């Protein structure tokens, strides 16, 4: 319940609002009541190809801002993935009355959120190595580091339209997370493309095997901002450039 209270206090535009929480007297199970967020998921937007690079970078910045809002109260989302981001339409605040709207990403689904890491609690393509049991002996698992890893996977997918880890089976996908140190094969291929090395290295620094060696969400956001001018000249998806 303490974690639910902290989550309710976040009040960030890129994080779904928790309206109420408690425990059902009959079942003893805890519950959260969240606001209704209408719009397509980021997964659906990617599938439709309804993006350009500048819009993709805007979405990543908003998602990163939402994660930082959660991390400030030491809460990890722990299931960051495109299907857990809903695109909410908001009116443009440009001083006009044309009724135009932009899409704001909103992190939803706090089913795994919390301050403690539970082994195996992740969605396969986005689960950090420590979720699958590869925990360095000198490291105390932190949910925020798991979010950085998943955010890096999501960033690759949002910019390229392709899932970074997609093994033939769930076991193969998990194994892929355990067998790299920041640069799985698809990311290596992206780095090899003209103008993509810096982007690939930025994402790779969020995917390091040792959680303590990963960069922060804030550093990733800053990196995307620095790359914005160059990347926005390219066509989405970037892997086809």
């Amino acid at each position: 319940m303490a974690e639910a209270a902290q989550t309710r206090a976040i009040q960030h535009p890129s994080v779904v609002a928790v309206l109420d929480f408690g425990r059902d007297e009959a079942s003893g199970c805890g519950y959260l009541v969240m606001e209704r967020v209408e719009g397509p998921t980021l997964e659906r937007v990617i599938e439709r190809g309804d993006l350009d690079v500048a819009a993709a970078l805007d979405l990543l910045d908003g998602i990163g801002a939402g994660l930082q809002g959660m991390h400030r109260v030491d809460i990890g989302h722990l299931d960051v993935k495109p299907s857990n981001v809903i695109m909410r339409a908001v009116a443009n605040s440009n001083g006009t009355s044309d009724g135009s709207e932009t899409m704001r990403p909103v992190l939803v689904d706090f089913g795994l959120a919390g301050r403690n890491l539970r082994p195996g609690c992740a969605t396969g393509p986005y689960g950090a190595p420590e979720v699958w049991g590869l925990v360095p002996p000198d490291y105390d698992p932190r949910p925020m580091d798991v979010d950085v890893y998943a955010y890096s996977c999501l960033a690759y997918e949002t910019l390229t339209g392709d899932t970074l880890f997609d093994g033939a089976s769930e076991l193969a996908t998990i194994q892929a997370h355990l067998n790299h140190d920041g640069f799985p094969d698809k990311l290596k291929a992206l780095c090899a493309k003209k103008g993509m090395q810096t982007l690939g290295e930025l994402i790779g620094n969020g995917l390091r095997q040792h959680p303590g060696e990963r960069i922060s969400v804030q550093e990733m956001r800053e990196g995307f901002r620095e790359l914005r001018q160059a990347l926005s000249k390219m066509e989405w998806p970037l892997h086809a450039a």
Side-chain angles (χ1 to χ4, degrees):
M1 290 299 103
E3 291 178 357
Q6 290 283 8
T7 303
R8 186 179 184 181
I10 294 171
Q11 297 184 343
H12 192 283
S14 288
V15 179
V16 64
V18 175
L19 304 178
D20 193 14
F21 63 92
R23 190 172 299 279
D24 181 75
E25 293 183 1
S27 66
C29 295
Y31 66 84
L32 290 174
V33 179
M34 299 183 178
E35 68 170 320
R36 179 181 177 87
V37 183
E38 295 187 3
T41 64
L42 177 55
E43 180 181 50
R44 180 61 178 144
V45 170
I46 293 172
E47 288 174 351
R48 292 192 313 226
D50 192 17
L51 278 174
D52 57 41
V53 175
L57 291 170
D58 286 342
L59 295 180
L60 290 175
D61 190 65
I63 295 165
L67 285 174
Q68 285 185 273
M70 297 188 71
H71 293 176
R72 288 189 191 102
V73 294
D74 295 324
I75 297 288
H77 185 281
L78 293 174
D79 200 15
V80 177
K81 57 184 178 181
S83 61
N84 278 344
V85 178
I86 293 181
M87 313 306 298
R88 172 158 51 192
V90 295
N92 284 327
S93 57
N94 54 12
T96 67
S97 57
D98 59 5
S100 60
E101 297 178 325
T102 57
M103 303 302 289
R104 174 180 292 153
V106 181
L107 285 161
V108 300
D109 192 348
F110 292 167
L112 298 179
R115 290 196 175 93
N116 299 306
L117 189 61
R118 298 177 292 282
C121 288
T123 300
Y126 311 93
E130 60 268 30
V131 172
W132 313 118
L134 188 62
V135 180
D138 61 340
Y139 172 74
D140 184 21
R142 288 173 10 104
M144 287 67 77
D145 296 329
V146 173
D147 283 351
V148 170
Y149 188 97
Y151 179 57
S152 301
C153 295
L154 180 144
Y156 176 91
E157 189 168 345
T158 303
L159 289 166
T160 69
D162 188 22
T163 307
L164 183 55
F165 295 94
D166 58 353
S169 66
E170 184 175 3
L171 181 60
T173 300
I174 292 171
Q175 195 64 38
H177 288 296
L178 307 179
N179 289 338
H180 73 90
D181 190 17
F183 291 91
D185 290 342
K186 287 186 178 181
L187 191 57
K188 288 180 181 177
L190 182 70
C191 287
K193 292 185 177 293
K194 184 178 180 181
M196 294 289 103
Q197 183 175 353
T198 303
L199 172 64
E201 290 175 350
L202 175 65
I203 294 173
N205 284 331
L207 293 170
R208 298 300 300 271
Q209 284 282 329
H210 195 301
E213 296 177 358
R214 294 175 199 153
I215 61 176
S216 67
V217 172
Q218 177 62 33
E219 288 172 314
M220 291 198 72
R221 291 179 68 199
E222 291 171 355
F224 289 135
R225 289 170 188 164
E226 291 173 1
L227 291 169
R228 182 184 181 88
Q229 183 175 0
L231 294 179
S232 295
K233 298 175 183 178
M234 301 179 182
E235 292 187 4
W236 187 93
L238 289 181
H239 78 286

